[in-house]
Amino acid sequence: MSQFWIYFQIGLKHVLDIHAYDHVLFLIALTVPYTFKDWKRILLLVSVFTIGHTLALVLSVFGIISVKVDLVEFLIPITILITALYHLFTAGKNAKNDGVNLLFFVTLFFGIIHGLGFSNYFKTILGGSATSKLLPLGEFALGIEAAQLVVVFVVLVVSYIVQTVFRFSKRDWALVMSAFVVGVVIPMIIESPIWNR
């Protein structure tokens, strides 16, 4: 098996792991107010998130940043909660009125936080110098991007079915899914190891 495929698969599994569904929850919260016609905006948001995730790994590999695991594991569900609450309170409003720069900056920042959550594990699976880790890191990032696009596509398909077959309005769909994500993520925050200090 080629090195590319190994790290690409690790990226795929990182997002699609059913035991670590925080990525999927974040992507649901991020994507829920959009439809297929917003594909360019969604692609940009997902790519900005991947860039943030990868940037965190690069900073970690080069020893520029190091964050306690408990803190990051607490912040990850907080980012999901913020995203879901934002879409819960803005459901039904035209997404084109969002501050694009702010939305992309926040998504980049949240990508960095999510990347920091994986940085310790990523450093342990790679040996060698920091510069020798850049190519595998890029291959891993491509796997993450591909997996995220799969999740987003599934969310958009389900959204389309719910809105056309079951006649949910776009606003109601965004409300229900955002509330669902909030309901799933609050126990993650409550059960965070950060409270056990």
Side-chain angles (χ1 to χ4, degrees):
M1 189 181 296
S2 74
Q3 176 182 305
F4 171 81
W5 186 242
I6 290 170
Y7 292 110
F8 184 83
Q9 277 188 318
I10 292 171
L12 285 174
K13 290 175 184 173
H14 174 59
V15 174
L16 301 175
D17 181 3
I18 61 168
H19 302 292
Y21 49 87
D22 57 317
H23 248 100
V24 173
L25 280 177
F26 180 77
L27 291 168
I28 291 169
L30 186 68
T31 309
V32 77
Y34 300 110
T35 61
F36 278 111
K37 68 182 170 97
D38 304 310
W39 70 269
K40 288 180 186 175
R41 185 181 181 92
I42 298 167
L43 181 61
L44 280 171
L45 282 170
V46 169
S47 297
V48 164
F49 183 80
T50 304
I51 289 167
H53 195 283
T54 306
L55 179 61
L57 293 176
V58 169
L59 294 173
S60 176
V61 162
F62 281 94
I64 296 169
I65 191 168
S66 178
V67 179
K68 292 184 179 184
V69 175
D70 287 353
L71 178 61
V72 173
E73 292 301 320
F74 172 72
L75 290 175
I76 288 172
I78 294 294
T79 64
I80 299 166
L81 180 65
I82 290 169
T83 305
L85 286 174
Y86 174 76
H87 289 304
L88 188 66
F89 290 113
T90 60
K93 296 182 180 171
N94 193 349
K96 289 178 177 59
N97 294 334
D98 291 347
V100 173
N101 292 337
L102 178 63
L103 187 61
F104 284 91
F105 174 76
V106 169
T107 303
L108 177 71
F109 179 69
F110 288 177
I112 291 170
I113 292 172
H114 284 247
L116 289 173
F118 193 69
S119 62
N120 288 335
Y121 174 74
F122 191 77
K123 286 192 290 189
T124 61
I125 64 172
L126 288 177
S129 68
T131 53
S132 69
K133 296 177 184 180
L134 288 177
L135 182 60
L137 203 146
E139 295 160 348
F140 172 75
L142 288 174
I144 285 177
E145 182 77 358
Q148 290 182 154
L149 292 175
V150 167
V151 171
V152 165
F153 181 76
V154 169
V155 171
L156 290 174
V157 167
V158 171
S159 174
Y160 176 79
I161 291 168
V162 167
Q163 291 178 47
T164 56
V165 174
F166 297 106
R167 300 289 186 200
F168 267 61
S169 70
K170 186 176 172 181
R171 177 185 172 276
D172 289 347
W173 170 249
L175 285 171
V176 167
M177 289 309 295
S178 296
F180 166 77
V181 171
V182 169
V184 172
V185 84
I186 285 177
M188 293 170 67
I189 295 168
I190 293 169
E191 296 166 8
S192 174
I194 202 165
W195 305 115
N196 298 328
R197 292 182 173 192

